[in-house]
């Protein structure tokens, strides 16, 4: 059993594979946090409590029931509301019809569910055992329900909250975060991920001081500036050791995540839907659900925390049909021809990769309406008769005849002002009446909070999917929302718009992705502008960045892998000089780095040499050899180009029988240091065969020797030349004994 309640002490013990999460109901009836970390017994932790209550100077509250006083300001809260002496950042605030904002939510009841209830209208983790804790407001008929889910085989705790208005009047939710958690200790670092177009997911580590550190997104696009995730680290936590507590929000719209160090030596973590420009009208009898947050813990450093997320997301978040399914190896038309996707340009590209093992051709932007450039056509999901006079069928047949599947690009949520759709329904685009809408990439966002707009999108996209033999869809989202306004909402509900946008998006995904279960959907947002767990719930892989430069990719993929498994990260080999950086990197390196994810190609294959086409064959075969590790292996980040001249990622099979290491020396330096990398996670008593095919290297070494002594990165090429910049080294390890 994963969830245990001690009636006598009123303590809840939530247990995962290697973790314990412990909280209890205190003397006032309020849930207080005790512990989240490495698995311990069901120890009685009340001995930590007196010290916590301490002095009562801040608890000027009538009806004190404890020698130290009742002061929410020092409670180690599982949930937190303003008032009653709480002066820290709360997870909840509401407005009653009479103007009061005061609540005091206390324990009413709880239940333990063997089946995890879905969150209405929102994606969430599946499976596990769930505790539902109901708190009732002392002064009203408002209730909150706190949900906790744990798994026998994962090191995560999933949390979210529901608010029920049992009063007879409408109230307003001013803040409804998904969770609050007061962690012991004031000396922590916070690991966050900064995002920007073409340089997504850059890790930043910040020492926390007293006060609040907040990352947030106001654009209804989850990862334009920050990933909706962070990790609380001890000062001595590294990639490979120490405590790491992760917070990852399953949400695709405007969010806020906060870490606040309080005067009593605790650090409060909280967050969820961004309460900036947010207010939700909750009618009498109505319930509001927050998105789910996934908390992970590891004492094996940032890497251990990542592996906890990878396992949990692969098992309980990604569509089970695709979680471990081999990914399509695509050739995508975008960097090959951009908007010039005419059959005479496409067919030779398809011809060039026949028999290479590339198995899916993806027709990117430019195939529909008047979309010959980014000025026109978005929203008009009809095949352009100008570009494809006979429709898509001849191209699709050609692709099939070449032994490949066919994929196609959509940007369902968008409209160009120069489009038939906009001319017919200008009010469907998000704008404030009387104000000029903010155009970005020459497009506007459709108001998918409206059912009629969603119906149009579902019908027009479905028509294309029904009428053509399509196996793969790339769903793009190329701009942020700039207005928090919907013409379809009454004035008092305008600040619900960004959350309603997320609900509208999830409805579209349910209907379009759910409606075509045989189609593989890839998420995309101008690169990685919406790379979040809610998108991963619907899209088994997500395009990580429009930056296909392999050096930049070592950083982008490193950062993205902190919260996401490699199978979620879509990576392409592209042409050189690279279109984003003008840098030239060896073809092999480009493929080796792209193979550390859901691999593919994105280049004009008529412009590469016959030798390179031959190389593609080997590359794809190599990928298939390591594919099982990409899909299900344990990831170890051994080196990264933020910190050094080297990059190395290692994948180890769960049974430790196989491992794959891709290492890279970024800049070639004459008379360089003798560099070794130190693999991890092997069976130290077993003997492995270590192979580097390029160098003809074949060694038999114990796991212990490999991990302790390391593997040497040659200074020269196999034919004894200086290797130049960005040389990769691939080691394949197979257990042969033990
Ligand atoms: C975005 C995507 C690209 C490509 C273009 C098409 O930028 O990230 O991969 O699909 O849109 O317009």
């Amino acid at each position: 059993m994963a969830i245990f309640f001690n009636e006598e002490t009123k303590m809840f013990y939530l247990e995962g594979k290697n973790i314990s999460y412990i909280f209890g109901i205190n003397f006032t009836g309020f849930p207080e946090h005790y512990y989240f970390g490495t698995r311990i017994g069901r120890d009685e932790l009340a001995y930590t409590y007196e010290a916590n209550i301490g002095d009562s100077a801040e608890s000027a509250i009538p009806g004190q029931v404890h020698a130290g006083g009742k002061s929410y300001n020092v409670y180690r809260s599982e949930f937190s509301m303003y008032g009653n002496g709480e002066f820290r950042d709360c997870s909840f605030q509401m407005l009653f019809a009479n103007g009061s904002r005061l609540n005091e939510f206390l324990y009413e009841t709880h239940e333990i569910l063997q089946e995890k209830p879905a969150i209405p209208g929102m994606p969430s983790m599946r499976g596990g055992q769930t505790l539902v804790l109901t708190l009732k407001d002392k002064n009203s008929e408002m209730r909150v329900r706190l949900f906790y889910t744990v798994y026998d085989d994962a090191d995560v705790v999933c949390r979210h909250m529901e608010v029920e208005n049992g009063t007879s009047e409408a109230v307003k939710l001013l803040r409804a975060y998904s969770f609050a958690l007061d962690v012991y200790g004031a000396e922590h670092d916070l690991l966050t991920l900064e995002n920007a177009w073409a340089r997504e997911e850059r890790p930043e580590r910040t020492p926390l001081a007293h006060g609040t550190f907040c990352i947030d997104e106001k654009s209804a696009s989850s990862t334009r500036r920050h990933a909706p995730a962070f990790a609380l680290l001890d000062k001595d936590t590294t990639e490979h050791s120490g405590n790491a507590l992760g917070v990852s929000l399953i949400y695709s719209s405007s969010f806020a995540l906060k870490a606040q160090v309080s005067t009593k030596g605790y650090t409060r973590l909280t967050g969820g839907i961004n309460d900036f420009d947010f207010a939700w009208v909750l009618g009498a009898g109505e319930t509001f659900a927050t998105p789910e947050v996934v908390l992970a813990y590891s004492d094996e450093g940032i890497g251990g925390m990542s592996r906890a997320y990878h396992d949990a997301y692969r098992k309980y978040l990604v569509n089970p049909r695709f979680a471990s399914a081999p990914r399509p190896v695509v050739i995508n038309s975008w960097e090959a021809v951009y908007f010039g996707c005419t059959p005479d340009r496409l067919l030779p590209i398809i011809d060039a990769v026949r028999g290479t093992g590339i198995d899916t051709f993806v027709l990117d932007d430019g195939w529909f309406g008047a979309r010959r450039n980014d000025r026109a056509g978005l929203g008009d999901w009809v095949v352009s008769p100008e570009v494809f006079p006979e429709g898509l069928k001849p191209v699709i047949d050609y692709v099939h005849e070449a032994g490949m599947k066919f994929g196609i690009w959509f940007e369902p949520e968008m409209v160009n002002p120069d489009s038939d759709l906009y001319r017919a329904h200008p009010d469907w685009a998000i704008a404030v009446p009387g104000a000029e809408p903010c155009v970005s990439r020459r497009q506007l966002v459709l108001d998918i909070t409206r059912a009629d707009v969603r119906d149009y999108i579902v019908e027009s996209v479905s028509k294309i999917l029904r009428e053509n033999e399509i196996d793969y869809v790339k769903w793009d989202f190329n701009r942020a929302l700039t207005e928090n306004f919907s013409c379809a909402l009454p004035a008092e509900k305008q600040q619900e718009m960004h959350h309603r946008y997320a609900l509208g998006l999830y409805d579209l995904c349910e209907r379009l992705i759910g409606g075509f279960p045989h189609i593989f959907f890839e998420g995309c947002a101008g690169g990685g502008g919406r790379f979040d767990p809610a998108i991963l719930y619907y899209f088994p892989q997500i395009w990580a960045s429009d930056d296909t430069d392999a050096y930049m990719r070592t950083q982008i993929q490193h950062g993205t892998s902190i919260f996401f498994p490699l199978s979620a990260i879509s990576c392409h080999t592209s042409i050189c000089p690279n279109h984003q950086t003008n840098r030239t990197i060896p073809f092999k390196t480009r493929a080796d780095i792209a193979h550390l994810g859901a691999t593919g190609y994105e280049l004009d294959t008529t412009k590469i040499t016959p030798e390179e086409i031959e190389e593609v064959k080997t590359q794809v075969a190599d990928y298939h050899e390591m594919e099982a590790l990409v899909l299900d292996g344990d990831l170890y980040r051994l080196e990264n180009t933020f910190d050094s001249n080297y990059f190395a990622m290692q994948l180890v099979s769960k049974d430790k029988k196989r491992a794959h290491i891709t290492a890279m020396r970024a800049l070639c330096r004459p008379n360089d240091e003798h560099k070794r990398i130190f693999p991890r996670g092997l069976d130290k008593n077993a003997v492995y065969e270590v192979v580097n095919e390029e160098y003809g290297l074949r060694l038999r070494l114990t796991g212990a020797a490999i991990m302790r002594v390391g593997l040497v990165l040659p200074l020269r090429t196999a034919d004894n030349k200086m290797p130049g910049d960005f040389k990769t080294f691939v080691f394949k390890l197979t257990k042969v004994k033990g």
Side-chain angles (χ1 to χ4, degrees):
M1 188 167 96
I3 298 175
F4 178 81
F5 179 59
N6 184 331
E7 291 279 353
E8 211 176 297
T9 59
K10 304 271 180 281
M11 296 284 266
F12 290 93
Y13 300 91
L14 282 61
E15 293 164 358
K17 187 174 163 206
N18 301 299
I19 56 165
S20 297
Y21 187 107
I22 303 173
F23 70 94
I25 306 301
N26 77 5
F27 59 93
T28 65
F30 189 70
E32 284 207 54
H33 183 74
Y34 279 91
Y35 176 77
F36 179 33
T38 308
R39 179 77 164 263
I40 56 175
R42 288 173 200 152
D43 295 279
E44 176 49 59
L45 302 182
Y47 72 93
T48 61
Y49 196 74
E50 284 299 318
N52 181 38
I53 289 295
D55 68 80
S56 59
E58 289 156 324
S59 59
I61 300 171
Q64 291 179 355
V65 291
H66 186 273
K70 181 179 75 166
S71 177
Y72 282 86
N73 201 35
V74 295
Y75 290 173
R76 308 175 289 198
S77 312
E78 287 288 317
F79 168 84
S80 152
M81 64 260 157
Y82 180 67
N84 303 297
E86 172 63 281
F87 304 112
R88 293 168 295 180
D89 237 313
C90 324
S91 55
F92 183 80
Q93 195 191 21
M94 59 168 288
L95 177 66
F96 285 100
N98 70 357
S100 160
R101 280 99 56 223
L102 188 72
N103 308 103
E104 189 174 3
F105 285 100
L106 300 175
Y107 175 85
E108 184 177 53
T109 182
H110 75 269
E111 54 180 331
I112 295 169
L113 309 174
Q114 301 310 325
E115 216 146 285
K116 185 172 190 286
I119 305 179
M122 270 187 282
S124 59
M125 297 273 280
R126 309 174 177 89
Q129 198 179 38
T130 300
L131 166 69
V132 188
L133 185 74
T134 304
L135 310 179
K136 183 187 165 303
D137 187 14
K138 213 167 157 183
N139 313 310
S140 77
E141 286 301 310
M142 294 296 302
R143 281 184 177 74
V144 298
R145 279 186 287 276
L146 309 185
F147 291 75
Y148 298 81
T149 301
V150 282
Y151 303 85
D152 288 338
D153 56 355
D155 289 327
V156 298
V157 179
C158 310
R159 292 191 53 182
H160 81 283
M161 175 186 80
E162 266 179 23
V163 190
E164 185 190 314
N165 179 4
T167 75
S168 53
E169 287 177 303
V171 302
K172 247 188 188 185
L173 305 181
L174 304 177
R175 175 180 290 181
Y177 287 165
S178 300
F179 80 114
L181 174 64
D182 289 328
V183 179
Y184 176 72
E187 298 280 318
H188 289 112
D189 287 348
L190 198 70
L191 177 72
T192 53
L193 292 158
E194 188 230 348
N195 263 352
W197 178 79
R199 50 178 186 82
E200 287 85 348
E201 307 273 343
R202 295 177 77 81
E204 290 184 324
R205 185 168 177 158
T206 313
L208 291 176
H210 287 93
T212 304
F213 187 99
C214 175
I215 50 167
D216 81 335
E217 189 60 63
K218 300 185 178 74
S219 67
S221 179
S222 53
T223 54
R224 300 262 167 202
R225 269 146 289 269
H226 300 281
F230 60 43
L232 190 73
L233 309 176
D234 285 355
K235 290 286 173 195
D236 60 359
T237 298
T238 67
E239 174 67 26
H240 303 300
S241 69
N243 294 310
L245 192 171
V247 173
S248 168
L249 191 64
I250 307 183
Y251 195 49
S252 307
S253 190
S254 302
F255 73 88
L257 288 176
K258 294 175 176 172
Q260 180 180 28
V261 182
S262 74
T263 56
K264 300 292 180 189
Y266 285 83
T267 301
R268 166 164 295 181
L269 307 179
T270 189
I273 296 171
N274 197 345
D275 51 313
F276 169 81
D277 208 13
F278 166 85
W280 189 275
V281 179
L282 196 63
E286 285 179 0
T287 297
F288 179 85
T290 72
E292 186 166 53
V293 68
V294 181
L295 309 174
Y297 169 81
S298 173
D299 57 11
E300 288 180 22
I302 302 164
M305 179 197 76
S306 296
R307 290 187 289 280
Y309 276 113
H310 299 173
D311 284 344
Y313 284 169
R314 289 185 295 217
K315 277 191 195 136
Y316 300 113
L317 184 71
V318 178
N319 183 338
R321 264 186 307 127
F322 296 116
S324 290
R327 299 300 148 87
V329 179
V330 307
I331 170 75
N332 181 294
S333 69
W334 181 241
E335 284 198 27
V337 297
Y338 292 101
F339 288 104
C341 55
T342 49
D344 60 318
R345 303 274 315 271
L346 299 179
L347 302 192
I349 291 173
I350 296 161
D351 281 337
V353 297
R354 273 171 198 266
T356 55
I358 291 178
D359 56 38
T360 305
F361 171 78
V362 180
L363 175 58
D364 209 286
D365 200 352
W367 58 267
F368 52 91
R371 187 78 170 168
R372 301 296 78 74
N373 50 48
D374 65 6
R375 288 166 204 276
L378 274 179
D380 299 338
W381 301 113
V382 285
V383 180
S384 161
E386 188 193 329
V387 185
F388 299 100
E390 296 162 69
L392 291 176
K393 192 170 185 310
V395 179
I396 296 178
D397 287 348
Y398 201 80
V399 168
H400 287 163
E401 184 269 322
M404 289 190 273
K405 293 184 170 179
F406 182 80
I408 196 163
W409 181 96
F410 286 95
E411 196 175 1
E413 299 152 74
M414 298 291 167
V415 64
N416 280 121
D418 183 1
S419 65
D420 293 342
L421 180 67
Y422 189 78
R423 283 182 281 276
H425 299 284
D427 60 315
W428 283 11
I430 295 171
V432 178
E436 197 181 320
C438 176
V439 177
S440 172
R441 211 197 186 205
R442 304 173 207 278
Q443 65 198 54
L444 298 172
V445 188
L446 289 171
D447 184 356
I448 59 167
T449 69
R450 295 173 59 154
D452 52 353
V453 176
R454 293 201 300 276
D455 288 347
Y456 163 79
I457 293 172
V458 171
E459 275 155 32
S460 59
V461 172
S462 299
K463 189 164 186 296
I464 296 284
L465 299 182
R466 264 195 314 267
E467 290 176 358
N468 297 281
E469 275 185 71
I470 290 169
D471 310 287
Y472 180 109
V473 165
K474 176 177 172 187
W475 178 321
D476 212 338
F477 175 71
N478 271 309
R479 61 158 289 184
L481 271 68
T482 42
E483 287 86 9
N484 194 0
F485 190 90
S486 166
C487 291
L489 290 173
E492 70 276 13
K493 284 177 172 278
Q494 285 301 335
Q495 288 174 301
E496 299 180 2
M497 201 304 181
H498 277 189
H499 181 55
R500 286 184 179 275
Y501 191 88
L503 299 178
L505 168 66
Y506 302 147
D507 179 58
L508 283 180
C509 291
E510 290 287 338
R511 290 161 70 186
L512 278 171
I513 299 177
F516 295 89
H518 65 285
I519 296 182
F520 186 96
F521 282 78
E522 175 178 272
C524 177
R530 195 166 64 182
F531 202 126
D532 66 63
I535 295 298
L536 186 62
Y537 175 90
Y538 292 110
F539 302 82
Q541 70 187 42
I542 308 168
W543 182 230
S545 178
D546 279 345
D547 195 337
T548 55
D549 173 273
Y551 174 72
M552 288 299 294
R553 277 295 184 135
T554 61
Q555 303 193 340
I556 293 163
Q557 292 167 210
H558 169 98
T560 310
S561 76
I562 292 177
F563 288 94
F564 294 97
L566 296 194
S567 55
I569 308 174
S570 183
C571 311
H572 291 174
T573 299
S574 63
I575 205 81
C576 274
N578 177 268
H579 288 190
Q580 293 78 37
T581 60
N582 209 23
R583 190 182 281 128
T584 294
I585 288 183
F587 195 42
K588 175 176 185 301
T589 299
R590 283 177 265 155
D592 285 343
I593 301 300
H595 286 5
L596 296 166
T599 205
Y601 291 79
E602 175 148 353
L603 43 81
D604 184 345
T605 49
T606 63
K607 300 230 168 86
I608 58 176
T609 63
E611 292 74 32
E612 283 171 326
I613 291 286
E614 282 304 305
E615 253 190 80
V616 172
K617 279 189 196 160
T618 321
Q619 291 167 357
V620 176
D622 281 348
Y623 183 70
H624 286 311
E625 207 186 314
M626 65 185 281
E627 190 167 35
L629 297 175
V630 171
L631 293 171
D632 288 315
D634 283 334
L635 175 71
Y636 293 85
R637 291 177 294 257
L638 305 180
E639 297 274 349
N640 72 79
T641 51
F642 294 108
D643 294 344
S644 80
N645 195 33
Y646 301 91
F647 167 82
M649 268 190 184
Q650 178 193 8
L651 288 160
V652 184
S653 62
K654 290 280 176 200
D655 60 9
K656 297 181 187 291
K657 285 190 175 154
R658 286 184 60 205
H660 175 104
I661 298 157
T662 299
M664 182 184 85
R665 180 185 290 106
L667 297 185
C668 170
R669 301 175 297 201
N671 195 20
D672 207 350
E673 64 179 310
H674 295 184
K675 176 69 181 175
R676 296 184 198 178
I677 50 156
F678 293 87
R680 293 180 166 264
L682 301 174
D683 177 349
K684 63 179 192 306
N685 298 317
V687 176
Y688 289 86
E689 183 173 59
V690 181
V691 176
N692 179 327
E693 280 156 7
E694 191 187 355
Y695 285 83
L697 178 87
R698 202 166 282 271
L699 301 167
R700 287 202 168 203
L701 295 168
T702 57
I706 297 167
M707 293 191 285
R708 291 266 170 220
V709 183
L711 298 176
V712 176
L713 302 190
L715 285 167
R716 302 180 73 88
T717 60
D719 52 358
N720 203 24
K721 297 200 180 89
M722 285 304 281
D725 295 339
F726 311 113
K727 171 94 189 86
T728 43
F729 308 90
V730 172
F731 299 93
K732 296 173 187 173
L733 277 60
T734 314
K735 198 194 243 194
V736 287
K737 216 162 92 193

